[in-house]
Structure formats: C-alpha cells, structure tokens
Amino acid sequence: MALVVGAVLIAVTDPEVRTASGYFFSRPTDTLSAIWDAVFGAYSSLFQGSVYNFRRPRFVDGIRPLTETLTFATPLIAAGLGVALAFRVGMFNIGGRGQMLIAAACAGYVGFTYDLPPVVHLIAAIVAGVVGGALWGGIAGLLRARTGAHEVIVTIMLNYVAFYLISYLLRTPGALQAPGSNNPKTPAMADTAVLPALFGSRYSLHWGFVLVVVVTAAVWWLMERSAVGYRFRVVGENAAAARVAGIRVERTYVWAMVLSGALVGLAGVAQVLGTVTTGFTADIDAGIGFDAITVALLGRSRPWGVFAAGILFGAFKAGGFAMQAAESIPVDIVLVVQSVIVLFIAAPPLVRAVFRLPESRTKAAAR
C-alpha cells in the first residue's frame, strides 16, 4: 500500500506526466504512458540502486548496490534493536541521537588516540563506544527508577546535551578536534581500529554487519530464552503485576535502558569505525537515532523483525539516492513511503478496513 501511495506521488510530481495530462482528453494514452515511465523508472532505479544493477556487465559490479544496502542497514539494525528492547520493557527510548554521539566519541577517541595492537585496538574501541552508549542510556533508566522522570523527556534532553557536548569537544584542541585544524572534526581512525572490509576494498560493506548479525541473535536469545528477558517482557506487559510477582521493576528499568543504550551505541561505533573512518563531526548520527524508532515499529520490536526492517530501510536509503540521480525523483518521496509504511503498521484497523480482513480471534474474544 505504501508503494502504491509512493507511485501516486511520483506520478503527480513528474513534469512529463503533468505536461501530458494537459491534453489528456485528446490523447489519454500519452498520460498513461508517462505515468508508467515515471513510476517504473523510479522503482526500477530504486531496485537497481539497492539490490542489483543490471546495467553493469560484471556480477562483482552489479552486486555493489546490495552491499551498499547492507552498509546502510548495519547501524539501523543495531539502533533499532536498542529501541525495540526498550519497547519490550514498556519504555520509549528516543535518545538514540545522544547515545550514538557519545558512543561515537568514545570509540573514536580510542580509535585515533591510542597506539595498540591491531585486534586489541579494534576491540578496545568497540567496547569503549558500547560502554559510552550504555552509560548515556542508563542515565534515563536511573532517573526513571529513582525519581519517576519520564524517559521520553529525559532522553530528548540528553540528545541536546550530547550534541552540544560533542560539538564543544570537536572545537576544543586536545579533546576531539584534529590537531592543527580549525574544523570541528576528529582525526582519522588508526588503521588498527577500523572494521575491515568484508569483501575487500571494492565494497564499502565491513565486518560491522557480521557483528550486527551476531548481536541480533544474542538479543533474540536474551529476550526469548533467558530469565532476564522474561523479566523484561513481564515488566513491559504489566509493571504492577511484575512487582507483585517479586520482580524488581525499578532495577529492570535501569538495566533495560543500559542495554538499549549499548545497542544504540553500537550503531555509533559502526559509523565511526566502519563507515566514516576519516574523522567525524557532530552530524555522525545522520538521523539514524530517529530512524531506529521506525525500524523498531516496523519490526514489531522483535529482533529478527527489526533485522529485516533495517535491511528494508537500508535499501530505501541506498536506492533513494540512485533513484534521485537516475530519474531526478526527489529523495523525499522515499521518506514519504517510509512514513506511510509506519502509518499502516501503526493503524491495523485501517488496513483491515481497506482489505476487508476479519479481526483477530484474540481481540474478538477479548471483546
């Protein structure tokens, strides 16, 4: 349904369609042909920019768009897992931007400051970033547990605190700013702290994607098979019942936000150690912290659902730029499609009404 809405918008905004529609009643086939060319051209460019480019003669070149999709998807999946974990505990973590910035600063500082052996250096930088994100997320959980402060307000404010703190450090010599530079940018990461390319220098995909796959499996086990995950789910379903059952709800809130911040922080680590290794600015989050909310909603807060949603939105990001370059379609159209997807996901009654679907048995029995 979202793709249909996107097709309508593409047709409406296409100049050739508007020109042909001016004489629709005399030659209607011209308008229909222009609509087909605009929509097919846009979506074929979206596919070839995100999955496989059939215009390339060699497979190694044609498959490059898929690797770009997975590269874009890597931080989206990591951050989406963090937001989804908080959702499962009944908390709304919209502090992804701040957690990513703090994690990026911690990982980046270790990455360009210290001179360590290759494997040790990379592990130390990753751990530093994840711990930074965990501590920043834990602040919201601690305030929720001790004072009852709502995590939405706290995480929004922490986003601003993190942004201005990192912006200050990027303009401060001896902190994050590159030596001898007046630009608010860090030095390049040391080669020993960079996530290696997964398929060689020809592609931008790095081992961060493999790390995210492992983390997704770990989060699935945590939430579905462990006692900690069971407590998380119970608190998310009914905090009062969980408290009566002997679960320490306040402690659960703290640990949930710590783990959520760690996962979102992993997205920042993937950015500075894998995607942008030549130094980063305060815009390193690239809107991923907020896109992660959409990914978590689309994945229904389930780890493998978030994984699939992250790849889908990674494809939108990779293909959106290709669609804009090849067909002059505004990249905002892709954002509209993403938004409409969330709208339909968040409004099941609307989808049931459109397709005349029956209500689920569980809800019908509840009524």
Side-chain angles (χ1 to χ4, degrees):
M1 290 176 65
L3 292 177
V4 171
V5 173
V8 173
L9 293 175
I10 291 169
V12 170
T13 57
D14 186 75
E16 294 185 5
V17 173
R18 291 201 302 267
T19 300
S21 63
Y23 54 90
F24 174 78
F25 292 102
S26 60
R27 297 175 60 182
T29 56
D30 287 1
T31 303
L32 297 177
S33 177
I35 292 174
W36 169 258
D37 291 341
V39 174
F40 180 78
Y43 282 156
S44 63
S45 296
L46 182 66
F47 178 84
Q48 293 189 70
S50 59
V51 181
Y52 189 85
N53 190 350
F54 295 101
R55 298 173 184 173
R56 299 294 182 181
R58 299 191 303 168
F59 176 80
V60 292
D61 294 325
I63 202 66
R64 186 192 300 272
L66 180 59
T67 64
E68 293 293 330
T69 291
L70 298 180
T71 302
F72 279 113
T74 297
L76 286 171
I77 295 170
L81 288 171
V83 175
L85 189 147
F87 279 164
R88 297 289 293 274
V89 190
M91 304 183 74
F92 198 7
N93 180 12
I94 58 175
R97 186 187 190 191
Q99 292 153 22
M100 280 189 65
L101 285 172
I102 296 299
C106 294
Y109 185 80
V110 173
F112 64 72
T113 301
Y114 297 101
D115 184 16
L116 299 173
V119 177
V120 175
H121 198 179
L122 178 58
I123 294 176
I126 293 174
V127 171
V130 171
V131 170
L135 293 177
W136 203 253
I139 294 174
L142 185 62
L143 290 175
R144 169 69 183 271
R146 293 295 180 88
T147 68
H150 202 286
E151 70 278 1
V152 171
I153 303 300
V154 174
T155 50
I156 288 176
M157 294 298 101
L158 286 175
N159 282 342
Y160 287 101
V161 174
F163 176 76
Y164 288 112
L165 174 62
I166 300 303
S167 297
Y168 168 75
L169 294 176
L170 287 169
R171 294 192 302 268
T172 304
L176 291 178
Q177 189 178 43
S181 174
N182 293 324
N183 297 324
K185 185 178 179 180
T186 69
M189 302 300 111
D191 293 338
T192 52
V194 172
L195 288 163
L198 190 56
F199 298 117
S201 58
R202 179 187 296 271
Y203 308 107
S204 59
L205 185 63
H206 49 78
W207 276 87
F209 177 73
V210 177
L211 178 61
V212 164
V213 174
V214 174
V215 169
T216 303
V219 172
W220 174 85
W221 180 86
L222 173 71
M223 295 303 300
E224 306 297 336
R225 293 291 183 269
S226 70
V228 174
Y230 175 75
R231 288 194 291 270
F232 282 176
R233 299 199 311 272
V234 171
V235 172
E237 291 291 338
N238 192 320
R243 189 175 284 106
V244 171
I247 296 176
R248 302 181 66 174
V249 175
E250 286 72 23
R251 175 180 290 185
T252 302
Y253 285 150
V254 175
W255 281 111
M257 287 303 297
V258 166
L259 291 176
S260 178
L263 291 169
V264 177
L266 182 61
V269 171
Q271 284 290 91
V272 298
L273 301 184
T275 305
V276 185
T277 60
T278 57
F280 63 90
T281 65
D283 296 326
I284 187 64
D285 66 291
I288 294 170
F290 291 105
D291 289 340
I293 300 173
T294 307
V295 170
L297 288 173
L298 183 59
R300 295 190 178 275
S301 300
R302 299 301 190 271
W304 292 112
V306 171
F307 183 84
I311 292 179
L312 175 63
F313 275 66
F316 280 147
K317 284 182 175 290
F321 295 115
M323 187 174 68
Q324 185 179 34
E327 301 293 330
S328 299
I329 302 294
V331 72
D332 297 333
I333 296 294
V334 176
L335 299 178
V336 171
V337 172
Q338 293 176 354
S339 303
V340 174
I341 288 175
V342 177
L343 173 64
F344 289 142
I345 290 294
L350 174 62
V351 179
R352 285 200 300 269
V354 172
F355 292 101
R356 300 181 181 276
L357 299 175
E359 213 172 11
S360 63
R361 295 181 179 179
T362 304
K363 292 185 178 180
R367 288 188 178 181

PDB file of all heavy atoms in Angstrom, residues 261-289:
ATOM      1  N   GLY A 261      20.847   1.485  25.461  1.00  0.00           N
ATOM      2  CA  GLY A 261      21.883   2.446  25.092  1.00  0.00           C
ATOM      3  C   GLY A 261      23.115   1.781  24.511  1.00  0.00           C
ATOM      4  O   GLY A 261      23.750   2.320  23.595  1.00  0.00           O
ATOM      5  N   ALA A 262      23.459   0.589  25.016  1.00  0.00           N
ATOM      6  CA  ALA A 262      24.610  -0.134  24.478  1.00  0.00           C
ATOM      7  C   ALA A 262      24.374  -0.535  23.020  1.00  0.00           C
ATOM      8  O   ALA A 262      25.265  -0.415  22.166  1.00  0.00           O
ATOM      9  CB  ALA A 262      24.895  -1.371  25.326  1.00  0.00           C
ATOM     10  N   LEU A 263      23.168  -0.996  22.716  1.00  0.00           N
ATOM     11  CA  LEU A 263      22.855  -1.408  21.353  1.00  0.00           C
ATOM     12  C   LEU A 263      22.817  -0.205  20.415  1.00  0.00           C
ATOM     13  O   LEU A 263      23.341  -0.272  19.289  1.00  0.00           O
ATOM     14  CB  LEU A 263      21.523  -2.147  21.327  1.00  0.00           C
ATOM     15  CG  LEU A 263      21.522  -3.522  21.997  1.00  0.00           C
ATOM     16  CD1 LEU A 263      20.097  -4.044  22.165  1.00  0.00           C
ATOM     17  CD2 LEU A 263      22.350  -4.517  21.192  1.00  0.00           C
ATOM     18  N   VAL A 264      22.207   0.886  20.870  1.00  0.00           N
ATOM     19  CA  VAL A 264      22.210   2.101  20.045  1.00  0.00           C
ATOM     20  C   VAL A 264      23.638   2.615  19.884  1.00  0.00           C
ATOM     21  O   VAL A 264      24.029   3.085  18.813  1.00  0.00           O
ATOM     22  CB  VAL A 264      21.301   3.176  20.657  1.00  0.00           C
ATOM     23  CG1 VAL A 264      21.357   4.456  19.834  1.00  0.00           C
ATOM     24  CG2 VAL A 264      19.864   2.680  20.739  1.00  0.00           C
ATOM     25  N   GLY A 265      24.415   2.521  20.956  1.00  0.00           N
ATOM     26  CA  GLY A 265      25.817   2.924  20.871  1.00  0.00           C
ATOM     27  C   GLY A 265      26.597   2.115  19.856  1.00  0.00           C
ATOM     28  O   GLY A 265      27.511   2.639  19.203  1.00  0.00           O
ATOM     29  N   LEU A 266      26.233   0.856  19.690  1.00  0.00           N
ATOM     30  CA  LEU A 266      26.896   0.028  18.677  1.00  0.00           C
ATOM     31  C   LEU A 266      26.696   0.605  17.273  1.00  0.00           C
ATOM     32  O   LEU A 266      27.565   0.473  16.415  1.00  0.00           O
ATOM     33  CB  LEU A 266      26.355  -1.403  18.745  1.00  0.00           C
ATOM     34  CG  LEU A 266      26.981  -2.416  17.786  1.00  0.00           C
ATOM     35  CD1 LEU A 266      28.478  -2.560  18.050  1.00  0.00           C
ATOM     36  CD2 LEU A 266      26.292  -3.772  17.922  1.00  0.00           C
ATOM     37  N   ALA A 267      25.552   1.255  17.057  1.00  0.00           N
ATOM     38  CA  ALA A 267      25.322   1.916  15.771  1.00  0.00           C
ATOM     39  C   ALA A 267      26.328   3.044  15.565  1.00  0.00           C
ATOM     40  O   ALA A 267      26.863   3.234  14.461  1.00  0.00           O
ATOM     41  CB  ALA A 267      23.895   2.449  15.708  1.00  0.00           C
ATOM     42  N   GLY A 268      26.583   3.821  16.617  1.00  0.00           N
ATOM     43  CA  GLY A 268      27.585   4.874  16.514  1.00  0.00           C
ATOM     44  C   GLY A 268      28.977   4.317  16.288  1.00  0.00           C
ATOM     45  O   GLY A 268      29.774   4.885  15.525  1.00  0.00           O
ATOM     46  N   VAL A 269      29.276   3.183  16.916  1.00  0.00           N
ATOM     47  CA  VAL A 269      30.564   2.527  16.711  1.00  0.00           C
ATOM     48  C   VAL A 269      30.722   2.097  15.258  1.00  0.00           C
ATOM     49  O   VAL A 269      31.779   2.290  14.638  1.00  0.00           O
ATOM     50  CB  VAL A 269      30.694   1.315  17.655  1.00  0.00           C
ATOM     51  CG1 VAL A 269      31.931   0.496  17.303  1.00  0.00           C
ATOM     52  CG2 VAL A 269      30.749   1.777  19.108  1.00  0.00           C
ATOM     53  N   ALA A 270      29.670   1.506  14.695  1.00  0.00           N
ATOM     54  CA  ALA A 270      29.725   1.076  13.300  1.00  0.00           C
ATOM     55  C   ALA A 270      29.944   2.257  12.363  1.00  0.00           C
ATOM     56  O   ALA A 270      30.606   2.113  11.319  1.00  0.00           O
ATOM     57  CB  ALA A 270      28.433   0.342  12.935  1.00  0.00           C
ATOM     58  N   GLN A 271      29.414   3.406  12.717  1.00  0.00           N
ATOM     59  CA  GLN A 271      29.591   4.588  11.873  1.00  0.00           C
ATOM     60  C   GLN A 271      31.040   5.060  11.862  1.00  0.00           C
ATOM     61  O   GLN A 271      31.618   5.294  10.800  1.00  0.00           O
ATOM     62  CB  GLN A 271      28.684   5.718  12.365  1.00  0.00           C
ATOM     63  CG  GLN A 271      27.221   5.549  12.005  1.00  0.00           C
ATOM     64  CD  GLN A 271      26.957   5.733  10.525  1.00  0.00           C
ATOM     65  OE1 GLN A 271      26.983   4.782   9.755  1.00  0.00           O
ATOM     66  NE2 GLN A 271      26.708   6.964  10.132  1.00  0.00           N
ATOM     67  N   VAL A 272      31.642   5.209  13.045  1.00  0.00           N
ATOM     68  CA  VAL A 272      32.969   5.825  13.103  1.00  0.00           C
ATOM     69  C   VAL A 272      34.101   4.836  12.826  1.00  0.00           C
ATOM     70  O   VAL A 272      35.172   5.233  12.377  1.00  0.00           O
ATOM     71  CB  VAL A 272      33.201   6.496  14.470  1.00  0.00           C
ATOM     72  CG1 VAL A 272      32.201   7.604  14.689  1.00  0.00           C
ATOM     73  CG2 VAL A 272      33.148   5.493  15.601  1.00  0.00           C
ATOM     74  N   LEU A 273      33.876   3.558  13.084  1.00  0.00           N
ATOM     75  CA  LEU A 273      34.935   2.575  12.861  1.00  0.00           C
ATOM     76  C   LEU A 273      34.754   1.800  11.564  1.00  0.00           C
ATOM     77  O   LEU A 273      35.670   1.060  11.168  1.00  0.00           O
ATOM     78  CB  LEU A 273      34.994   1.581  14.024  1.00  0.00           C
ATOM     79  CG  LEU A 273      35.256   2.161  15.411  1.00  0.00           C
ATOM     80  CD1 LEU A 273      35.386   1.042  16.437  1.00  0.00           C
ATOM     81  CD2 LEU A 273      36.504   3.037  15.422  1.00  0.00           C
ATOM     82  N   GLY A 274      33.596   1.964  10.911  1.00  0.00           N
ATOM     83  CA  GLY A 274      33.373   1.200   9.694  1.00  0.00           C
ATOM     84  C   GLY A 274      33.011   2.026   8.487  1.00  0.00           C
ATOM     85  O   GLY A 274      33.564   1.820   7.400  1.00  0.00           O
ATOM     86  N   THR A 275      32.101   2.978   8.656  1.00  0.00           N
ATOM     87  CA  THR A 275      31.589   3.729   7.507  1.00  0.00           C
ATOM     88  C   THR A 275      32.326   5.040   7.298  1.00  0.00           C
ATOM     89  O   THR A 275      32.720   5.372   6.172  1.00  0.00           O
ATOM     90  CB  THR A 275      30.086   4.012   7.694  1.00  0.00           C
ATOM     91  OG1 THR A 275      29.393   2.778   7.916  1.00  0.00           O
ATOM     92  CG2 THR A 275      29.503   4.680   6.458  1.00  0.00           C
ATOM     93  N   VAL A 276      32.506   5.820   8.365  1.00  0.00           N
ATOM     94  CA  VAL A 276      33.169   7.127   8.268  1.00  0.00           C
ATOM     95  C   VAL A 276      34.443   7.056   9.106  1.00  0.00           C
ATOM     96  O   VAL A 276      34.452   7.443  10.282  1.00  0.00           O
ATOM     97  CB  VAL A 276      32.254   8.252   8.771  1.00  0.00           C
ATOM     98  CG1 VAL A 276      32.901   9.618   8.542  1.00  0.00           C
ATOM     99  CG2 VAL A 276      30.897   8.201   8.082  1.00  0.00           C
ATOM    100  N   THR A 277      35.505   6.574   8.523  1.00  0.00           N
ATOM    101  CA  THR A 277      36.745   6.357   9.267  1.00  0.00           C
ATOM    102  C   THR A 277      37.750   7.488   9.096  1.00  0.00           C
ATOM    103  O   THR A 277      38.821   7.449   9.694  1.00  0.00           O
ATOM    104  CB  THR A 277      37.401   5.036   8.813  1.00  0.00           C
ATOM    105  OG1 THR A 277      37.696   5.115   7.412  1.00  0.00           O
ATOM    106  CG2 THR A 277      36.482   3.859   9.067  1.00  0.00           C
ATOM    107  N   THR A 278      37.436   8.486   8.292  1.00  0.00           N
ATOM    108  CA  THR A 278      38.365   9.591   8.047  1.00  0.00           C
ATOM    109  C   THR A 278      38.173  10.740   9.024  1.00  0.00           C
ATOM    110  O   THR A 278      38.700  11.834   8.817  1.00  0.00           O
ATOM    111  CB  THR A 278      38.185  10.116   6.615  1.00  0.00           C
ATOM    112  OG1 THR A 278      36.821  10.513   6.421  1.00  0.00           O
ATOM    113  CG2 THR A 278      38.543   9.038   5.602  1.00  0.00           C
ATOM    114  N   GLY A 279      37.413  10.516  10.076  1.00  0.00           N
ATOM    115  CA  GLY A 279      37.107  11.558  11.036  1.00  0.00           C
ATOM    116  C   GLY A 279      35.639  11.922  10.957  1.00  0.00           C
ATOM    117  O   GLY A 279      35.040  11.879   9.889  1.00  0.00           O
ATOM    118  N   PHE A 280      35.048  12.273  12.079  1.00  0.00           N
ATOM    119  CA  PHE A 280      33.615  12.534  12.101  1.00  0.00           C
ATOM    120  C   PHE A 280      33.323  13.888  12.723  1.00  0.00           C
ATOM    121  O   PHE A 280      34.152  14.482  13.429  1.00  0.00           O
ATOM    122  CB  PHE A 280      32.875  11.435  12.864  1.00  0.00           C
ATOM    123  CG  PHE A 280      33.230  11.328  14.327  1.00  0.00           C
ATOM    124  CD1 PHE A 280      32.530  12.055  15.283  1.00  0.00           C
ATOM    125  CD2 PHE A 280      34.258  10.500  14.749  1.00  0.00           C
ATOM    126  CE1 PHE A 280      32.844  11.959  16.620  1.00  0.00           C
ATOM    127  CE2 PHE A 280      34.583  10.408  16.099  1.00  0.00           C
ATOM    128  CZ  PHE A 280      33.874  11.142  17.036  1.00  0.00           C
ATOM    129  N   THR A 281      32.122  14.374  12.456  1.00  0.00           N
ATOM    130  CA  THR A 281      31.628  15.626  13.015  1.00  0.00           C
ATOM    131  C   THR A 281      30.433  15.336  13.916  1.00  0.00           C
ATOM    132  O   THR A 281      30.085  14.167  14.153  1.00  0.00           O
ATOM    133  CB  THR A 281      31.209  16.591  11.889  1.00  0.00           C
ATOM    134  OG1 THR A 281      30.087  16.037  11.192  1.00  0.00           O
ATOM    135  CG2 THR A 281      32.367  16.805  10.907  1.00  0.00           C
ATOM    136  N   ALA A 282      29.765  16.380  14.369  1.00  0.00           N
ATOM    137  CA  ALA A 282      28.611  16.205  15.257  1.00  0.00           C
ATOM    138  C   ALA A 282      27.397  15.674  14.522  1.00  0.00           C
ATOM    139  O   ALA A 282      26.381  15.365  15.156  1.00  0.00           O
ATOM    140  CB  ALA A 282      28.269  17.531  15.947  1.00  0.00           C
ATOM    141  N   ASP A 283      27.475  15.561  13.203  1.00  0.00           N
ATOM    142  CA  ASP A 283      26.361  15.021  12.423  1.00  0.00           C
ATOM    143  C   ASP A 283      26.549  13.541  12.105  1.00  0.00           C
ATOM    144  O   ASP A 283      25.900  13.016  11.202  1.00  0.00           O
ATOM    145  CB  ASP A 283      26.213  15.804  11.111  1.00  0.00           C
ATOM    146  CG  ASP A 283      25.854  17.256  11.349  1.00  0.00           C
ATOM    147  OD1 ASP A 283      25.124  17.522  12.324  1.00  0.00           O
ATOM    148  OD2 ASP A 283      26.306  18.120  10.580  1.00  0.00           O
ATOM    149  N   ILE A 284      27.407  12.863  12.846  1.00  0.00           N
ATOM    150  CA  ILE A 284      27.721  11.471  12.550  1.00  0.00           C
ATOM    151  C   ILE A 284      26.509  10.560  12.707  1.00  0.00           C
ATOM    152  O   ILE A 284      26.426   9.502  12.079  1.00  0.00           O
ATOM    153  CB  ILE A 284      28.873  10.977  13.466  1.00  0.00           C
ATOM    154  CG1 ILE A 284      29.349   9.574  13.065  1.00  0.00           C
ATOM    155  CG2 ILE A 284      28.441  11.000  14.926  1.00  0.00           C
ATOM    156  CD1 ILE A 284      29.945   9.507  11.693  1.00  0.00           C
ATOM    157  N   ASP A 285      25.522  10.970  13.510  1.00  0.00           N
ATOM    158  CA  ASP A 285      24.353  10.105  13.712  1.00  0.00           C
ATOM    159  C   ASP A 285      23.490  10.012  12.464  1.00  0.00           C
ATOM    160  O   ASP A 285      22.781   9.008  12.266  1.00  0.00           O
ATOM    161  CB  ASP A 285      23.509  10.613  14.872  1.00  0.00           C
ATOM    162  CG  ASP A 285      22.873  11.961  14.565  1.00  0.00           C
ATOM    163  OD1 ASP A 285      23.615  12.958  14.483  1.00  0.00           O
ATOM    164  OD2 ASP A 285      21.647  12.014  14.387  1.00  0.00           O
ATOM    165  N   ALA A 286      23.517  11.043  11.600  1.00  0.00           N
ATOM    166  CA  ALA A 286      22.829  11.023  10.294  1.00  0.00           C
ATOM    167  C   ALA A 286      21.350  10.666  10.404  1.00  0.00           C
ATOM    168  O   ALA A 286      20.793  10.033   9.512  1.00  0.00           O
ATOM    169  CB  ALA A 286      23.535  10.053   9.344  1.00  0.00           C
ATOM    170  N   GLY A 287      20.724  11.034  11.503  1.00  0.00           N
ATOM    171  CA  GLY A 287      19.308  10.746  11.670  1.00  0.00           C
ATOM    172  C   GLY A 287      18.986   9.306  12.006  1.00  0.00           C
ATOM    173  O   GLY A 287      17.802   8.928  12.089  1.00  0.00           O
ATOM    174  N   ILE A 288      20.012   8.489  12.212  1.00  0.00           N
ATOM    175  CA  ILE A 288      19.788   7.060  12.470  1.00  0.00           C
ATOM    176  C   ILE A 288      19.061   6.851  13.793  1.00  0.00           C
ATOM    177  O   ILE A 288      18.234   5.939  13.925  1.00  0.00           O
ATOM    178  CB  ILE A 288      21.136   6.308  12.460  1.00  0.00           C
ATOM    179  CG1 ILE A 288      21.736   6.342  11.053  1.00  0.00           C
ATOM    180  CG2 ILE A 288      20.972   4.870  12.936  1.00  0.00           C
ATOM    181  CD1 ILE A 288      23.158   5.837  10.978  1.00  0.00           C
ATOM    182  N   GLY A 289      19.359   7.700  14.790  1.00  0.00           N
ATOM    183  CA  GLY A 289      18.711   7.543  16.088  1.00  0.00           C
ATOM    184  C   GLY A 289      17.200   7.634  16.013  1.00  0.00           C
ATOM    185  O   GLY A 289      16.488   6.925  16.742  1.00  0.00           O
TER     186      GLY A 289
END
